[in-house]
Amino acid sequence: ARAMARELAMAHIPYQVATYAPEPDSEPINSVTFQLAGHEYSVANGAIRIMLGDGARGHINGPAVPLTSDKSATKALLKQQGLNAPEGRTFQRSEMGGAMAYAQDHFLAQGIPVCIKPAAGHGGILVFTKCATESQVTHALEAVFRRFREAIVEQTVSGEDVRFIYVEPNIVGTLQSVRADVAGDGCSTILQLLKAFNDQIPSTGRLRNVACGADLVHHLFSQSLQLESVPEVGQQVSLSPINYFTTYLDGTDCGGDI
């Protein structure tokens, strides 16, 4: 909401700011309301909603939201439309043994790295790619099941993570996402791997580094790790719960057009 208010102010578009608590004991949330092209919009928690005719508010992306929030449903739709999607299955938290057996039988036994991630899709949270050993798969599943009820076990797909910014009816921008992950070398601590990761930022165009603070310590703790831990060779360690490092593919910032 603060970022939207700043952009609206720079564009000289009037807006109103309000703070409310969804529940009596919950943290207050900032909300920004503005009008544009005859429609009223509100922004809170990163979601943009439009005022509907009956007084209710609907997400600006409408039915796309529940679809993209469910990775299993997204994959099913892609396959239905004839598009490629990684082979895999969704497992409940109570099916840890089945998830491990599936990863071993269908991927690891054939030398295929495994991707473990929550079935609920939000910002690349706790996505573990290239799990090549049983211990790495176990570590990833345990981390996902601590926070989510369902996990997807699927084949790791090589290539880059590209996001298209679509404003009907055109694609107006493209972003390349860079995961905040490091791979263990068997001798370096996570703190040392973090320093090497951040040192690469000027040469890769990422927008911001990973701060060594309480958020990182808490995120590592959720993976049964700490800053002094020495990951095994090839062990993937997530430095952030979200996939938020991005760079414009063609060097052009289309934010103003959006």
Side-chain angles (χ1 to χ4, degrees), residues 179-185 187-202 204 206 208-220 223 225-231 235-241 244-245:
R179 290 206 56 81
D181 294 344
V182 293
D185 58 12
C187 58
S188 300
T189 65
I190 292 178
L191 187 59
Q192 292 170 324
L193 295 171
L194 169 64
K195 182 180 184 305
F197 178 88
N198 284 335
D199 287 344
Q200 299 174 21
I201 290 176
T204 60
R206 287 183 287 238
R208 48 184 169 166
N209 61 4
V210 177
C212 182
D215 288 343
L216 174 60
V217 171
H218 178 76
H219 182 58
L220 291 174
Q223 304 169 70
L225 296 168
Q226 52 189 334
L227 290 170
E228 295 77 18
S229 299
V230 178
Q235 179 182 347
Q236 184 186 21
V237 177
S238 171
L239 299 176
S240 172
Y244 64 96
F245 293 97

Side-chain angles (χ1 to χ4, degrees), residues 147-215:
R147 293 186 56 182
F148 296 91
R149 292 192 300 269
E150 295 181 326
I152 293 178
V153 179
E154 66 183 16
Q155 178 182 358
T156 290
V157 178
S158 60
E160 298 177 344
D161 181 357
V162 178
R163 303 189 177 196
F164 296 89
I165 304 172
Y166 177 74
V167 179
E168 192 174 11
N170 300 314
I171 294 175
V172 298
T174 52
L175 292 172
Q176 179 182 352
S177 297
V178 181
R179 290 206 56 81
D181 294 344
V182 293
D185 58 12
C187 58
S188 300
T189 65
I190 292 178
L191 187 59
Q192 292 170 324
L193 295 171
L194 169 64
K195 182 180 184 305
F197 178 88
N198 284 335
D199 287 344
Q200 299 174 21
I201 290 176
S203 61
T204 60
R206 287 183 287 238
L207 299 183
R208 48 184 169 166
N209 61 4
V210 177
C212 182
D215 288 343

Side-chain angles (χ1 to χ4, degrees), residues 49-131:
R49 292 178 170 80
I50 184 171
M51 180 68 77
L52 303 176
D54 57 1
R57 296 181 186 273
H59 197 287
I60 193 171
N61 289 326
V65 177
L67 174 62
T68 56
S69 297
D70 185 340
K71 294 173 186 172
S72 298
T74 302
K75 288 178 61 175
L77 178 62
L78 291 174
K79 290 183 177 181
Q80 181 183 347
Q81 298 299 319
L83 299 174
N84 291 330
E87 290 300 322
R89 278 186 54 192
T90 301
F91 293 88
Q92 302 292 323
R93 184 180 291 157
S94 59
E95 300 177 303
M96 178 74 176
M100 284 295 307
Y102 179 81
Q104 177 64 40
D105 296 343
H106 288 77
F107 304 115
L108 297 183
Q110 286 75 42
I112 301 173
V114 182
C115 176
I116 309 292
K117 58 188 178 182
H122 295 286
I125 297 175
L126 290 177
V127 177
F128 295 86
T129 61
K130 302 179 182 178
C131 297

